[in-house]
Amino acid sequence: MRRIGIPHPRLPLPEPGQADDPQAFLAWLAGAIPMVAHLGIRDMTREGESLAWELALEPNLNDKGTGFGGALTAQTTLLGWCWTTLWLRERGLARDVVVADATQRFLAPVTGDYRMTCTPEAPEGTESLASQLESRGRGRIALVQQLWCGGTLCLEARGDYAVLKAD
């Protein structure tokens, strides 16, 4: 059980050259952030610089029977946090990540199960983050999240994620 003010233990880093097991990462995440167990995340995949979640709509319904904006906003923020955390872990870095700024644009109602993707906003985003970490010990990256319900883009979000200095 989580306690206020007590950090959750970090997930051990994967072996060098290995990526995190998606299901193990999601299980750890649900323990670290209790609300994750209630977001309807069914699957997580990583391809190149894209991280994607498949989600169920039912736990995220609003009073109108469509996606609740607050839940969708939380998911976009968390997906960006996961993208940054997994990127660091692939490089053998266990670092704290925080969202520094986030915006969302709701484009269409979410009426069924959906897919969220997260990618760097700029093509040079990861190179810039790596350079910042090397030179200053901390860095920031801008990420874009998109929510797709079938072929319809329902939500676009953008967030700046800060990687803090090592303890």
Side-chain angles (χ1 to χ4, degrees), residues 32-166:
I33 303 173
M35 72 180 260
V36 168
H38 307 284
L39 294 179
I41 303 168
R42 293 183 172 164
D43 194 24
M44 178 175 81
T45 56
R46 184 147 189 154
E47 254 183 63
E49 292 201 340
S50 179
L51 179 64
W53 283 349
E54 300 291 335
L55 298 108
L57 176 58
E58 188 175 359
N60 302 294
L61 287 172
N62 64 17
D63 59 317
K64 296 160 206 61
T66 61
F68 173 56
L72 304 177
T73 297
Q75 291 167 358
T76 61
T77 301
L78 183 60
L79 183 59
W81 182 92
C82 288
W83 187 100
T84 309
T85 298
L86 289 167
W87 184 88
L88 290 164
R89 291 175 57 77
E90 286 175 356
R91 285 145 187 82
L93 300 171
R95 302 288 288 280
D96 286 329
V97 174
V98 297
V99 61
D101 183 57
T103 60
Q104 301 80 33
R105 231 172 33 124
F106 295 89
L107 305 170
V110 178
T111 57
D113 294 347
Y114 52 99
R115 176 179 178 83
M116 274 192 180
T117 61
C118 181
T119 56
E121 182 177 59
E124 67 280 356
T126 54
E127 291 172 20
S128 176
L129 178 58
S131 176
Q132 293 170 51
L133 292 172
E134 187 175 317
S135 66
R136 299 190 330 235
R138 60 186 170 86
R140 190 180 274 220
I141 188 165
L143 300 172
V144 174
Q145 300 87 20
Q146 294 184 322
L147 184 156
W148 294 88
C149 188
T152 303
L153 178 60
C154 298
L155 168 63
E156 281 189 311
R158 183 196 176 282
D160 287 335
Y161 293 83
V163 178
L164 306 180
K165 285 190 173 190

